[in-house]
Amino acid sequence: NSCEPCEEGTYKDSSMISCERCDVGDEPNSVKTACIPCKAGTFKDSSLSVCQQCHTNSYSTERAGLCTTCPRGSQASQDHTHCVSCESLPSNWKEMMTETQFPLPPDNEV
């Protein structure tokens, strides 16, 4: 039926008969009429229907099919768009990351 909405991860424009999956690195727009690139810091491989945030210590550029692990001596930026050298981080970076991303009870040490 041409009035049926497309399933998660698929799209259909006015020229198409049925819904299709977006390519790796792309996801359907909000109305599922076209595919748009995954934003930097996210990825979509063939097993996913929508873009997902890169995992810990990895980054990506726009339209990524996978994220790249940051090399030794660096870590991913908060938005996962690039790697940051450990030398350029403030001396209390562990505390800052713990407080903003992984809150711990006050009696735990980092």
Side-chain angles (χ1 to χ4, degrees):
N1 184 336
S2 63
C3 295
E4 291 288 320
C6 289
E7 292 179 16
E8 183 78 19
T10 63
Y11 77 102
K12 179 171 65 170
D13 68 27
S14 59
S15 69
M16 299 166 64
I17 295 170
S18 60
C19 299
E20 293 184 12
R21 288 185 64 85
C22 293
D23 292 337
V24 167
D26 289 341
E27 68 180 348
N29 63 10
S30 61
V31 292
K32 299 181 180 179
T33 57
C35 292
I36 56 174
C38 292
K39 294 178 182 173
T42 67
F43 74 103
K44 186 182 86 72
D45 63 21
S46 60
S47 70
L48 298 169
S49 54
V50 294
C51 302
Q52 302 288 317
Q53 173 96 27
C54 288
H55 302 293
T56 303
N57 206 39
S58 64
Y59 71 98
S60 73
T61 57
E62 185 179 272
R63 193 172 260 154
L66 56 90
C67 296
T68 303
T69 302
C70 290
R72 183 171 292 233
S74 66
Q75 69 177 40
S77 60
Q78 279 193 314
D79 61 3
H80 293 270
T81 59
H82 61 282
C83 296
V84 179
S85 168
C86 292
E87 283 100 42
S88 68
L89 296 171
S91 60
N92 66 338
W93 70 270
K94 283 186 183 178
E95 291 81 10
M96 292 170 58
M97 294 299 286
T98 301
E99 289 168 10
T100 59
Q101 293 183 354
F102 309 103
L104 295 173
D107 58 346
N108 283 9
E109 290 196 19
V110 178

